[in-house]
Amino acid sequence: MARARDWAAAASSFIFLLFLLSDAAITQEPSLRALATHGSQPNLVLPLIFSRSNSTRRSVLARRLLGQQVTARASMRLYDDYLTNGYYTTKLFIGTPPQEFALIVDSGSTVTYVPCSTCEQCGNHHQNVRFQPDLSSTYEPVKCNDDCTCDKEQKQCVYESQYSEMSSSSGVLGEDLISFGKESELKPQRAVFGCANSETGNLFNQHADGIIGLGRGELSIMDQLVDKGVITDSFSLCYGGMDVDGGAMVLGEITPPLDMLFSQSDPIRSPYYNIDLEEIHVDGKLLHLDPRLFNSKDGTILDSGTTYAYLPEEAFMAFRDAILSNLHSLKRILGPDPNYRDICFSGAGSDVAELSKTFPEVDLVFGNGEKLSLSPENYLFRHSKVSGAYCLGVFQNEKDLTAILGGIIFRNTLVTYDRQNERIGFWKTNCSVLWERLHSGGGPTPGVLDFTNSIVNDSPTPVLPDMFEIGVITFDMTLNVAYAELLPHAKELAELIAHGLQVDINQVNLINIGSKGKSTMLRLAIFPAASSGFFSDTTVMDIVSFLTEHRVHLPENFGSYQVVRWNFERPSRSTWWEWRTMLLLVGILLAAFLWFTALSMWPDASRPLDAPLPEEDFCPL
């Protein structure tokens, strides 16, 4: 009977163990892998991403691949932002061994140039040291020939680039290996570039080292790579939002999203990248302008090297008046620089996600009827001296009839310069997340960036793909506060997030937390309520919108946060209670079976407790 009691005790322990395992198995999903150690780089999950649709129906974007032959591309991270620097840069490496440079991304320039070690009039505040041809074993000067302008000694080709703000760069032409960084699949290529011996104006004073020219022309880095056959004749830019620096650049073809908007671009009409702009709407109302206003001279030009937008006088005045007529609740204030008559407003608040409640939406209508909607961050810039104030980032182009759309217009917009098909595409997205997708490979096929189910964080009502029920939502976030300072308050942070998302604290699980430079990265999971096995679509959209639109407000000591990606998981086949009930029943049945088995094995229940037992074989563990 004692042995039977031992079996029963073992069975009871087994039931309890099953009970604990059922709890653990449901709380920790297998796909929610924790970080290996604090401070290590997380194994981030490729996000399931929202995509804005023109239809109210749900749809799933089908996977689209390139043609039979996949061509390499250069995927490059962008740095800086417009508020601080007025431009975006990327890193380029020249020579053997490579010398690093931070170059302004400029679709309006042809020549790629860096300051030369022989330069007598180059700025002293550039980010990196000047290029030293003598230290590169692969450098060769471009010798004087009939197709170029030569130096005074008639030995080497020279270049000179002049810009509209009266700055310039001039020097000699050289050829060397150009590398696009470790994160690019395109191998180093020989290319011609400018080695500057003179800089004037803004180019002299800027922090960036030089310019990477993406325009049309024989010296353009794009034309050189295309002529070599190493990339297709297309490139894409994606600039970060108002409060987010960086972004992504791709030299070569990507698979365009199915809902990307396109405008025709005529390379014969102008050496610049132009679009067929027909109309501008403000708050849904048409600006009554002659369409020819946007099509005189070079037409409407896209220039990533220009910070703001510039319209012909008549178009600017109409645009300005339409914006002002919608801002009765705001106060007009002076701009940050007294030398400029900026149009600025205070009282809009500091949350970018809330600007659309105060400032109107602007629509650009192309000749083919396609309409690109611009949010306030696409035509405003922050006032650098007054909190919660913003200024109009659209100006009059003096007496020039050319309309120029600078980079501010395309914040959080993927712009594809499809040169081979003479068109330019536009797609609203989160450019910071886009870089993470590029860096992750973007898709299962090398050279293919898949935009299936892609994020549009600025969409007030994101459309969920009708793919599966959602049982777990995981978020990867960064907070600009040191890991050591945040770690003691991790539980409090989870409670604040639960409160901000309007869910129970038991639904928020802080999967892991670690350091990332001077910031902290964390992963958290949101589970459905215990009474439900999955989220409703409305709840999912609310949770995602609250986090990505920064509607979860944290105390100052937690700093500001940025959602870098999210992921959806299918619900488990059974709910939490169903799992527990099932495992408990299995445990009871197993215990009963073991109990009766034990009784049948010892029929002589009257045997004394101190009676000798049969010998047992001891098997080594």
Side-chain angles (χ1 to χ4, degrees), residues 41 81 104 117 145 181 263 332 387 441 509 546 559 620:
Q41 182 66 24
D81 59 71
I104 295 174
S117 58
N145 59 72
S263 172
R332 183 85 175 266
S387 177
N509 187 1
F546 267 66

Side-chain angles (χ1 to χ4, degrees), residues 461-514:
T461 55
V463 179
L464 281 175
D466 191 13
M467 296 181 67
F468 52 75
E469 293 173 338
I470 297 170
V472 183
I473 310 173
T474 58
F475 287 89
D476 290 327
M477 305 169 60
T478 58
L479 291 90
N480 62 342
V481 61
Y483 166 73
E485 297 177 12
L486 183 62
L487 186 60
H489 306 284
K491 183 177 179 181
E492 180 185 353
L493 174 62
E495 293 174 349
L496 289 168
I497 291 176
H499 178 74
L501 296 178
Q502 301 177 6
V503 299
D504 191 271
I505 181 59
N506 294 325
Q507 294 178 243
V508 178
N509 187 1
L510 185 58
I511 300 298
N512 218 308
I513 182 170

Side-chain angles (χ1 to χ4, degrees), residues 26-38 42-43 45 472-476 490 494 497 507-514 521-527:
I26 297 166
T27 303
Q28 181 70 26
E29 289 285 330
S31 59
L32 303 179
R33 297 186 300 272
L35 306 186
T37 58
H38 285 155
N43 296 319
V45 181
V472 183
I473 310 173
T474 58
F475 287 89
D476 290 327
I497 291 176
Q507 294 178 243
V508 178
N509 187 1
L510 185 58
I511 300 298
N512 218 308
I513 182 170
M521 172 165 277
L522 60 90
R523 173 174 295 172
L524 56 91
I526 315 296
F527 292 88

